[in-house]
Amino acid sequence: MLGQSLNVQVAITEDHPMSTMRDVAEHAGVSIQTISNVINGRVQMSEATRLRVQRAIEELGYTPNPHARGLRQRSSNTLAFIVVDPAERFLTDEFHDLVLAGICDALRDRNYSLLIQQSLNPYTPLYELPPISAGKVDGAIVTGSSHVLGAGKPPATTVTRRKTGTHVPLVILEQHTTDPSVCSIEAENYNGATALAEHLIGRGRTRFAFVHGMGNWPAVEARLAGLEKTLAKYALSCDHIVTCAWDPEAAYQAVLPLLHAHPQLDAIVAANDVLALGALKAARVAGRKVPDDVAVTGFDDFAFSTCIEPALTTVKVPGYEMGRTAAEMILAHVTSGSFAVQQVRFPTALIVRDSS
Amino acid sequence: MLGQSLNVQVAITEDHPMSTMRDVAEHAGVSIQTISNVINGRVQMSEATRLRVQRAIEELGYTPNPHARGLRQRSSNTLAFIVVDPAERFLTDEFHDLVLAGICDALRDRNYSLLIQQSLNPYTPLYELPPISAGKVDGAIVTGSSHVLGAGKPPATTVTRRKTGTHVPLVILEQHTTDPSVCSIEAENYNGATALAEHLIGRGRTRFAFVHGMGNWPAVEARLAGLEKTLAKYALSCDHIVTCAWDPEAAYQAVLPLLHAHPQLDAIVAANDVLALGALKAARVAGRKVPDDVAVTGFDDFAFSTCIEPALTTVKVPGYEMGRTAAEMILAHVTSGSFAVQQVRFPTALIVRDSS
DNA sequence: ATGAAAGCGCTAACAC
DNA sequence: GTGTTAGCGCTTTCAT
């Protein structure tokens, strides 16, 4: 029976009280300071002492107390990933999951932890977000809706970190800025959208709709802006912009009536692949052939995009790499004490498949 | 230009040194202890004092130091989500993302943070996982491959928490156990698989294949076990079990040759919806009609399952609710001091759509 | 190379 | 109701 083969037993606790450095010191017959030195590999010491200490540590199952350490050296070996957005279930968003995966992979071997926090209140200035203001983390990666971050906030920006202050290195994700003091990572959504629009126009599309989800995500606004700009170049326009929840079924519900109301619609540009999936279903239900009658495109190039029918034309956005890079930038800062503030832009790539 | 409209400025730091309780106390002309009392709402005090203190806190932009607090009261207002699995990009897995979303939503308003940690080394006993052993978190939600958790670990389990020790409340996810002292949350994968198998057999399917990803995930093993058990009941068997990466393209690559090699195959049971998507593509490419020639089914009921063509028959597993419940169980424990150790089983539901 | 003392910011325990 | 004292576990500074 499966029940048995899966009867996994898990050891949760050891029944020894948590031992401190003092315990280890006594056990090894040395001073507390020596223990600290061994653990931090700080000074030269006799091999004999070092070994004795290490054995004592093992025998007592000693682990340094991170709070005490954090209190003393004002660092926590923890980074934060903060999403400023009032929506529930924000983590179901696949793009953020890619970013998250990248961050986690970067942190994994360096003994850093990741603190995830959603900030519901759009009006909280970043430096007042709990993990940052309180010094719970050594750095933070922040993303969110642009209005949210922008509303009434002072323009001053800095990423310097002082041991004595609350300054914390920050990387802002997907927030276009011209301020050279802000460390930011964004993808070339605008250019990606431009390329996509050129492609669609090149294939003779003339009546466009744009579907996107809730919130004023800068990346999404850039996608729309690139689309509209390019359309304008050809004296075209995107006459239909619909908003729905960030899930395929919602996109389906939103696009279907659009299709019924506008028989001439021949291009549906979705803000990401998930919504494109819903648009694809809408086209199917409405009896419109893709790509013959109507083109459907996405953004992001999620894993499923090659496997659906028709395979989805999309603009690849490297979420995993962006997350990874963000984490590495902060880690570099934390490790080396300082790094050049940079604004990294990841290229996007138009991937033409069968839906256009 | 979009660049301008998105020129969001973010205040990262205030240029005041981090103030302590002592500063606030001096500023308000009271003792440190009084500040502490105000912050923790601990004792009765004159309205005048309380207001004066609160104003001082505001004026100085004071925030309690979490390390000092953690050191003193041995708690951190932080929970951990730990995945014991050696794979990279583990967070791209959609089921875990649902769980994560549930956890985050539960924690959000209670001022708890979530620490995410992947444990690469399958042989690390749970109580030695950094965040737990070090007391970085007040509780943990753990999931992972069964072999990983089971290998050579002592069977003793407990979820008691003592202020003075390293004991930490734990909820084990998707790990079937009969040990009543372990707090676990699982879905009825076995029953779900049984129902699915009955359904497929009822529709005349006789030649089965099972596709799954890397790792010995208990949930996946339960799905396979339920399938095989039911097949056996009807003197059938699942003759093809293929393993691939946990992404649709990999499933496609794995299933396509299977389909070519076995023309009589008439049911492909994928371990989750993502793999089912790949199987669907394989069927298409191999020229097999779904569901006429071959049935394809998934597990989990991810959002995309209703939007693909054909809509996917699947077994719904409530990942979001499971994560949410896990977090709430721990929170209840932390808040109230103790809770009944329980083993929660979430029902699964067969959802028959068009792919079977 | 090792040890002793001081103190990080906070709260528990007790005095007033 | 409010203040004082002590100490959580660790690292920094200085002495040996």
Side-chain angles (χ1 to χ4, degrees):
Chain A
M1 246 268 306
L2 187 85
Q4 254 109 64
S5 73
L6 288 181
N7 189 353
V8 171
Q9 301 293 340
V10 176
I12 294 167
T13 59
E14 284 280 72
D15 235 311
H16 57 68
M18 193 152 62
S19 50
T20 73
M21 252 187 188
R22 168 188 246 94
D23 301 330
V24 181
E26 279 171 13
H27 194 86
V30 295
S31 81
I32 292 186
Q33 182 51 35
T34 304
I35 311 299
S36 175
N37 286 337
V38 169
I39 285 181
N40 297 295
R42 226 173 272 290
V43 296
Q44 295 295 60
M45 62 182 11
S46 74
E47 224 19 53
T49 313
R50 154 162 285 123
L51 282 173
R52 201 141 40 86
V53 169
Q54 255 152 7
R55 263 205 32 221
I57 289 177
E58 292 235 333
E59 284 175 16
L60 271 60
Y62 168 76
T63 320
N65 179 319
H67 297 304
R69 189 183 276 212
L71 178 58
R72 209 48 256 250
Q73 35 179 53
R74 304 188 136 53
S75 69
S76 57
N77 273 32
T78 304
L79 261 41
F81 178 56
I82 301 179
V83 179
V84 182
D85 186 56
E88 276 226 334
R89 291 179 179 238
F90 75 104
L91 271 179
T92 32
D93 178 71
E94 315 220 356
F95 183 76
H96 284 148
D97 293 333
L98 281 177
V99 171
L100 210 47
I103 297 173
C104 283
D105 281 0
L107 262 40
R108 216 171 40 183
D109 299 315
R110 316 224 205 174
N111 242 315
Y112 262 77
S113 309
L114 183 70
L115 202 62
I116 295 204
Q117 189 96 15
Q118 178 182 16
S119 173
L120 289 178
N121 182 355
Y123 301 107
T124 309
L126 280 187
Y127 55 82
E128 280 182 14
L129 291 175
I132 295 181
S133 70
K136 216 172 179 178
V137 297
D138 297 346
I141 298 164
V142 181
T143 187
S145 313
S146 71
H147 284 198
V148 172
L149 287 177
K153 304 303 184 304
T157 57
T158 155
V159 289
T160 50
R161 169 176 171 76
R162 296 203 234 111
K163 281 273 177 190
T164 50
T166 54
H167 300 245
V168 155
L170 234 86
V171 172
I172 311 290
L173 235 51
E174 292 283 46
Q175 300 274 340
H176 183 73
T177 174
T178 52
D179 186 331
S181 69
V182 172
C183 203
S184 76
I185 295 187
E186 60 177 318
E188 296 192 329
N189 285 295
Y190 185 87
N191 294 345
T194 301
L196 176 65
E198 294 278 1
H199 158 74
L200 289 169
I201 294 167
R203 301 235 171 151
R205 310 291 169 176
T206 56
R207 316 257 172 185
F208 288 77
F210 183 76
V211 204
H212 67 115
M214 313 290 201
N216 306 294
W217 299 89
V220 174
E221 294 183 2
R223 290 166 194 183
L224 177 55
L227 173 65
E228 288 186 319
K229 180 81 174 185
T230 308
L231 289 181
K233 213 174 93 184
Y234 293 91
L236 294 169
S237 67
C238 183
D239 295 328
H240 311 283
I241 299 180
V242 298
T243 307
C244 59
W246 283 108
D247 71 80
E249 193 64 28
Y252 161 66
Q253 304 280 359
V255 171
L256 188 57
L258 202 65
L259 247 18
H260 281 140
H262 305 280
Q264 298 162 311
L265 215 55
D266 61 8
I268 301 175
V269 177
N272 74 8
D273 291 354
V274 170
L275 299 188
L277 197 53
L280 238 24
K281 178 178 177 184
R284 219 160 45 228
V285 171
R288 308 277 253 282
K289 290 263 173 292
V290 176
D292 299 347
D293 302 335
V294 60
V296 173
T297 65
F299 270 89
D300 290 340
D301 192 33
F302 292 137
F304 66 76
S305 303
T306 60
C307 288
I308 58 176
E309 168 65 18
L312 192 64
T313 291
T314 192
V315 176
K316 184 181 179 66
V317 180
Y320 179 87
E321 288 74 15
M322 290 169 73
R324 182 151 201 141
T325 303
E328 278 164 0
M329 280 170 75
I330 295 187
L331 249 22
H333 187 181
V334 170
T335 307
S336 76
S338 86
F339 69 150
V341 170
Q342 11 178 353
Q343 311 195 297
V344 181
R345 307 196 63 177
F346 276 83
T348 53
L350 174 65
I351 301 180
V352 178
R353 298 204 182 96
D354 310 327
S355 68
S356 62
Chain B
M1 244 265 308
L2 187 83
Q4 255 107 64
S5 74
L6 288 181
N7 189 355
V8 172
Q9 301 294 340
V10 178
I12 293 167
T13 60
E14 284 280 71
D15 234 311
H16 57 69
M18 192 153 63
S19 49
T20 72
M21 251 186 190
R22 169 189 245 94
D23 301 329
V24 180
E26 280 171 11
H27 193 86
V30 295
S31 81
I32 293 186
Q33 183 54 32
T34 303
I35 312 299
S36 174
N37 286 339
V38 170
I39 285 181
N40 297 295
R42 227 173 271 291
V43 296
Q44 296 293 58
M45 60 182 10
S46 75
E47 224 19 53
T49 313
R50 154 163 285 122
L51 281 173
R52 201 140 40 88
V53 168
Q54 256 151 7
R55 261 203 36 220
I57 290 177
E58 292 234 335
E59 285 175 17
L60 271 60
Y62 168 76
T63 320
N65 180 319
H67 297 304
R69 189 184 276 213
L71 178 58
R72 209 44 258 247
Q73 34 181 54
R74 304 186 135 55
S75 69
S76 57
N77 274 34
T78 305
L79 260 42
F81 178 56
I82 301 178
V83 179
V84 183
D85 187 56
E88 276 225 333
R89 290 180 180 237
F90 75 103
L91 272 180
T92 32
D93 178 69
E94 314 219 356
F95 182 75
H96 284 147
D97 293 333
L98 280 177
V99 171
L100 210 46
I103 297 173
C104 282
D105 281 0
L107 262 39
R108 216 170 40 181
D109 299 314
R110 316 224 205 172
N111 240 315
Y112 262 77
S113 309
L114 183 70
L115 202 63
I116 295 206
Q117 189 96 15
Q118 179 181 17
S119 173
L120 289 178
N121 182 355
Y123 301 107
T124 309
L126 280 187
Y127 55 83
E128 282 182 11
L129 290 176
I132 295 181
S133 69
K136 217 171 178 178
V137 297
D138 297 346
I141 298 164
V142 182
T143 186
S145 312
S146 70
H147 285 197
V148 171
L149 287 177
K153 304 303 183 305
T157 57
T158 155
V159 288
T160 50
R161 169 177 171 74
R162 296 202 233 111
K163 281 274 177 190
T164 50
T166 53
H167 300 245
V168 155
L170 234 85
V171 172
I172 311 289
L173 235 51
E174 293 282 66
Q175 300 275 339
H176 183 73
T177 173
T178 52
D179 186 331
S181 69
V182 171
C183 204
S184 76
I185 295 187
E186 59 178 320
E188 295 192 330
N189 285 294
Y190 184 88
N191 294 345
T194 301
L196 176 64
E198 295 278 0
H199 158 74
L200 289 168
I201 295 167
R203 301 235 169 149
R205 311 290 170 176
T206 56
R207 316 256 172 186
F208 288 77
F210 183 76
V211 204
H212 67 116
M214 313 289 201
N216 305 294
W217 298 89
V220 174
E221 293 182 2
R223 291 167 193 183
L224 176 56
L227 172 65
E228 288 186 320
K229 181 81 174 184
T230 308
L231 290 181
K233 212 174 92 184
Y234 292 91
L236 294 168
S237 66
C238 183
D239 295 328
H240 311 282
I241 299 179
V242 297
T243 307
C244 59
W246 283 109
D247 70 80
E249 193 64 29
Y252 161 66
Q253 303 281 0
V255 171
L256 188 57
L258 202 65
L259 246 19
H260 281 141
H262 305 280
Q264 299 163 310
L265 214 55
D266 61 7
I268 302 176
V269 177
N272 74 9
D273 291 355
V274 170
L275 299 188
L277 198 51
L280 238 24
K281 177 178 179 183
R284 220 160 44 228
V285 171
R288 307 276 254 280
K289 290 264 174 292
V290 176
D292 298 349
D293 301 336
V294 60
V296 173
T297 65
F299 271 90
D300 290 340
D301 192 33
F302 292 138
F304 66 76
S305 303
T306 60
C307 288
I308 58 176
E309 169 64 18
L312 193 64
T313 291
T314 191
V315 176
K316 183 180 180 66
V317 180
Y320 179 86
E321 288 73 15
M322 290 169 73
R324 182 150 201 141
T325 303
E328 277 164 2
M329 280 170 76
I330 295 187
L331 248 21
H333 186 181
V334 170
T335 306
S336 76
S338 86
F339 69 150
V341 170
Q342 12 179 352
Q343 312 195 298
V344 181
R345 307 196 63 177
F346 276 83
T348 52
L350 174 65
I351 301 180
V352 178
R353 298 204 182 95
D354 310 328
S355 68
S356 63

